[in-house]
């Protein structure tokens, strides 16, 4: 997978989180996954289809999701209710929208699917034919993993 | 005692006041499928004196509520990407129903083509997410002029 697909998502995550949460984040070491991988507990998936195709998953533990949603809403949220889910999906939407604008500026043309949120324990994710690059980012609220699998449409 | 209008005049000269010149509140319909965004817009506008007359979770519901409450809606905030009926279609149908409707689009980045289409269809302005309180009130102020 070409690194130019990844950087817009990382930059968008940094900028969006800084704007929305008012915190700086620390980027962890990138790693590749081409086999099944565990999901931390709450995952939002946004699909891409066009000149390039694939998906981006924003993956975090439930406690991290609750803390992020609490901070974004300015109130303490303790259950994975509709507001928490809507908040986390909106964060994924904002990051992806910003990244897509940058990719479109680079000449790629594609559409996004609406975000889908999965939550549960002991979930696994499997890819078919696309290696996933994972960018861990550490926030005061916990770790967020940006899991990107994109390829050029054949 | 300081009247609310005095405070508004001092602090928010470039921001939108939620009151009409008559002193009545400006009534807003928020159309957005995200509970989070609806809550954000509600908080920003309520704090300036706007009244949230109704909310809708998709374009079809937004269109229905606009017609139901007409002419008592002064401003509509319209998300672009929504299930059932998207915001651009809902805008088009609202403008067919009321050519004087004041609709402001709310968009994530990456939807420039749809924003341009919305402006051609009659939307008065647009707001890009993540929402910034000052920018939201400035854009709304420009629509209400």
């Amino acid at each position: 997978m070409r690194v130019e697909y990844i950087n817009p998502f990382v930059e968008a995550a940094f900028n969006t989180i800084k704007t929305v949460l008012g915190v700086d984040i620390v980027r962890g070491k990138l790693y590749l996954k081409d086999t099944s991988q565990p999901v931390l507990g709450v995952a939002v998936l946004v699909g891409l289809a066009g000149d390039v195709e694939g998906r981006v998953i924003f993956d975090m533990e439930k406690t991290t999701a609750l803390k992020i949603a609490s901070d974004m809403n300015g109130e303490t949220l303790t259950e994975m209710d509709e507001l928490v889910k809507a908040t986390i999906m909106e964060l994924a939407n904002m990051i992806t929208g910003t990244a897509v604008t940058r990719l479109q500026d680079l000449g790629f043309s594609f559409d996004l699917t609406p975000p889908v949120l999965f939550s549960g324990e002991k979930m696994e994710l499997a890819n078919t034919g696309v290696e996933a690059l994972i960018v861990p980012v550490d926030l005061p609220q916990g770790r967020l993993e940006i899991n990107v699998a994109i390829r050029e449409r054949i | 005692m300081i009247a609310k209008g005095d405070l508004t005049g001092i602090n928010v000269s470039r921001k939108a006041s939620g009151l009409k010149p008559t002193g009545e509140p400006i009534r807003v319909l928020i159309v957005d499928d995200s509970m989070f965004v609806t809550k954000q817009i509600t908080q920003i506008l309520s704090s300036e004196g706007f009244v949230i007359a109704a909310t809708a979770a998709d374009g079809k519901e937004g269109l229905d509520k606009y017609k139901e409450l007409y002419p008592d809606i002064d401003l509509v905030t319209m998300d672009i990407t929504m299930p059932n009926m998207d915001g651009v279609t809902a805008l088009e149908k609202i403008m067919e129903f009321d050519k004087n409707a004041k609709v402001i689009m709310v968009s994530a980045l990456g939807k420039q083509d749809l924003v341009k289409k919305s402006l051609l269809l009659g939307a008065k302005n647009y707001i890009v997410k993540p929402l910034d309180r000052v920018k939201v009130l400035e854009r709304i102020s420009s629509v209400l002029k």
Side-chain angles (χ1 to χ4, degrees):
Chain A
M1 186 167 54
R2 289 159 61 175
V3 73
E4 64 193 287
Y5 299 146
I6 299 296
N7 286 338
F9 288 96
V10 177
E11 285 172 22
F14 272 60
N15 293 335
T16 305
I17 288 169
K18 194 166 186 175
T19 303
V20 171
L21 291 169
V23 298
D24 285 319
I25 59 179
V26 178
R27 177 171 163 173
K29 195 174 175 186
L30 302 180
Y31 60 99
L32 276 168
K33 277 273 186 179
D34 56 3
T35 54
S36 293
Q37 54 203 279
V39 173
L40 294 175
V42 177
V44 183
L45 183 149
V46 181
L48 297 81
D51 294 345
V52 294
E53 59 187 8
R55 54 52 180 182
V56 182
I57 296 172
F58 299 89
D59 185 20
M60 68 203 85
E61 290 185 356
K62 182 180 165 188
T63 52
T64 305
L66 289 169
K67 284 179 188 170
I68 289 174
S70 295
D71 288 348
M72 284 176 68
N73 282 284
E75 61 181 281
T76 304
L77 302 167
T78 56
E79 298 294 331
M80 281 297 296
D81 58 15
E82 291 306 310
L83 179 59
V84 172
K85 291 174 190 168
T87 306
I88 297 299
M89 283 195 281
E90 195 54 42
L91 178 64
N93 240 346
M94 289 187 280
I95 293 172
T96 313
T98 305
V100 163
T101 302
R102 286 182 196 159
L103 283 168
Q104 288 173 341
D105 289 343
L106 290 172
F108 298 107
S109 173
F110 53 90
D111 287 323
L112 296 174
T113 63
V116 180
L117 185 143
F118 303 87
S119 65
E121 292 177 10
K122 297 183 180 173
M123 291 192 294
E124 280 201 348
L125 178 70
N127 295 305
T128 50
V130 193
E131 62 186 5
L133 187 62
I134 294 154
V135 186
V137 288
D138 289 315
L139 295 71
Q141 291 85 355
R143 171 164 285 202
L144 167 70
E145 291 199 342
I146 306 169
N147 182 321
V148 184
I150 299 175
R151 66 180 173 194
E152 285 175 55
R153 179 164 279 180
I154 301 164
Chain B
M1 187 175 152
I2 302 171
K4 186 180 175 69
D6 296 333
L7 281 175
T8 304
I10 292 166
N11 296 324
V12 289
S13 57
R14 287 289 297 124
K15 291 194 291 184
S17 163
L19 301 179
K20 298 175 190 175
T22 57
E24 292 172 88
I26 293 167
R27 293 168 59 83
V28 183
L29 167 63
I30 301 173
V31 187
D32 205 303
D33 64 334
S34 168
M35 190 188 289
F36 169 68
V37 176
T38 299
K39 189 179 169 204
Q40 263 194 318
I41 296 173
T42 300
Q43 284 174 339
I44 292 170
L45 296 187
S46 298
S47 68
E48 296 296 328
F50 291 83
V51 164
I52 309 306
T55 63
D58 62 53
K60 174 74 170 62
E61 190 185 350
L63 174 65
D64 290 346
K65 287 203 172 164
Y66 190 87
K67 289 180 174 176
E68 180 190 325
L69 295 170
Y70 179 83
D72 290 329
I73 296 292
D74 304 304
L75 177 75
V76 180
T77 69
M78 180 73 74
D79 185 23
I80 288 187
T81 309
M82 290 182 288
N84 299 329
M85 182 190 287
D86 65 80
V88 179
T89 306
L91 162 74
E92 194 172 11
K93 291 184 180 296
I94 286 175
M95 298 308 296
E96 282 171 10
F97 174 74
D98 172 16
K99 63 181 172 51
N100 296 315
K102 289 181 175 170
V103 181
I104 187 163
M105 307 306 286
V106 179
S107 166
L109 273 172
K111 305 280 181 194
Q112 287 93 330
D113 289 349
L114 293 173
V115 168
K116 282 180 195 164
K117 186 177 176 186
S118 302
L119 294 172
L120 289 173
L121 287 169
K124 299 292 184 283
N125 211 326
Y126 66 97
I127 305 167
V128 176
K129 295 184 276 188
L131 300 179
D132 175 87
R133 177 187 169 81
V134 173
K135 284 183 188 161
V136 168
L137 293 170
E138 280 176 357
R139 294 288 169 102
I140 286 177
S141 175
S142 76
V143 169
L144 294 172
K145 272 178 188 168

